[in-house]
Amino acid sequence: MVADRLTSSPRIYDIYGFCGMAIMSEYFPYGDYEDVAVPGTGYLLTTKEQIEQQENELTPYNDIESIDKLRISLQMAEALADLHGDPNGAIVHQDVQLSQYLLSSDGKTVKLNDFNRAEFMLWDDNKGTYCKYGEGGGNGNWRSPEEYLNNNLDEKVDVFSLGNNLYSILTGLWVFYDEDNDTKMQQRVMDGEKAYIDPRYKERSLAESKLVYIIDQCHEFAPEKRPSIFEVVEFLREAMKEVNDDI
Ligand SMILES: Nc1ncnc2c1ncn2[C@@H]1O[C@H](COP(=O)(O)OP(=O)(O)O)[C@@H](O)[C@H]1O
Ligand SMILES: [Mg+2]
């Protein structure tokens, strides 16, 4: 239903039909964006690796040009804005990850995929707001603190996870690259620890400095303090303009 409703968007994969649990959709010859953003292991687990990273010149662990980092980040945010801003009511993706963005045959555009956890938000007529909803405790290592805490949720979970995507696009590393145990990582997120962003990224390029700023905003602990996806899109569009003017 989500794919059907959003197939008209150039930022969402095109669905051609379905049968039972199967779908027929457009084919993405380059697969998903995860391998581009994190081509290596994405981890720096040993103290030696971590010290070397600090002592050596700052080099991202992927080969994405800084302007392309911004361009792809904007596309990812715009796709989510199509869901959150659906005229029939907000849709939450609920499973934003790098692997949910598929690379089109032009090699330059990503489209959002995989709606099997999506939520159609319900509207509370009395309060004049969307109702929050429950999902049960969140697993994995890409979720917001409120999902790990099993709190009631809203569309801001997507903004937090988008922040993780942008982090990996910026650095080529996983958030909390020093920890490969999901339970321990979840605890750090629940404790309010933010993913460490090397401050040298603020100086490396204008595009990367913009990403540092917005990642930090997306990683706000309290969902109500996080920007809306529309604010993220606006910021990234403005950033693209500034960077293009700068070239
Ligand atoms: N239309 C497609 N074209 C190419 N690769 C795809 C396509 N759909 C999915 N994939 C690949 O399969 C992976 C899993 O598909 P996805 O729809 O995300 O299901 P899941 O619920 O298993 O995550 C994707 O991350 C992507 O690498
Ligand atoms: Mg998937």
Side-chain angles (χ1 to χ4, degrees), residues 25-28 31-32 99-100 102 113-114 116:
S25 75
E26 71 176 307
Y27 177 59
F28 293 85
D32 65 68
S99 60
Q100 314 291 35
L102 305 179
N113 174 55
D114 195 354
N116 63 22

Side-chain angles (χ1 to χ4, degrees), residues 128-241:
T129 56
Y130 282 107
C131 308
K132 294 209 174 203
Y133 57 90
E135 285 286 342
N139 52 24
N141 60 7
W142 219 246
R143 300 192 174 280
S144 61
E146 61 268 27
E147 287 167 285
Y148 297 138
L149 288 161
N150 198 6
N151 290 347
N152 287 336
L153 307 176
D154 61 22
E155 78 289 353
K156 294 290 181 68
V157 296
D158 286 349
V159 175
F160 190 94
S161 298
L162 177 73
N164 292 344
N165 279 16
L166 272 41
Y167 183 94
S168 292
I169 291 172
L170 175 68
T171 63
L173 295 170
W174 305 122
V175 283
F176 298 91
Y177 52 75
D178 57 339
E179 180 61 78
D180 63 354
N181 176 307
D182 282 1
T183 311
K184 288 189 185 155
M185 206 220 97
Q186 289 172 10
Q187 193 57 52
R188 287 167 70 174
V189 174
M190 285 189 277
D191 290 345
E193 187 179 332
K194 276 186 172 179
Y196 172 75
I197 308 178
D198 194 315
R200 290 175 292 176
Y201 275 112
K202 288 187 202 158
E203 316 294 332
R204 195 167 179 269
S205 67
L206 180 59
E208 285 164 311
S209 75
K210 297 287 180 185
L211 284 176
V212 171
Y213 176 83
I214 201 69
I215 292 166
D216 191 55
Q217 299 280 306
C218 292
H219 282 165
E220 269 295 333
F221 186 87
E224 61 277 8
K225 286 197 186 157
R226 247 169 256 155
S228 70
I229 196 65
F230 312 110
E231 288 167 327
V232 175
V233 166
E234 197 182 341
F235 177 85
L236 290 172
R237 278 189 186 156
E238 194 50 46
M240 272 303 289
K241 252 191 243 159

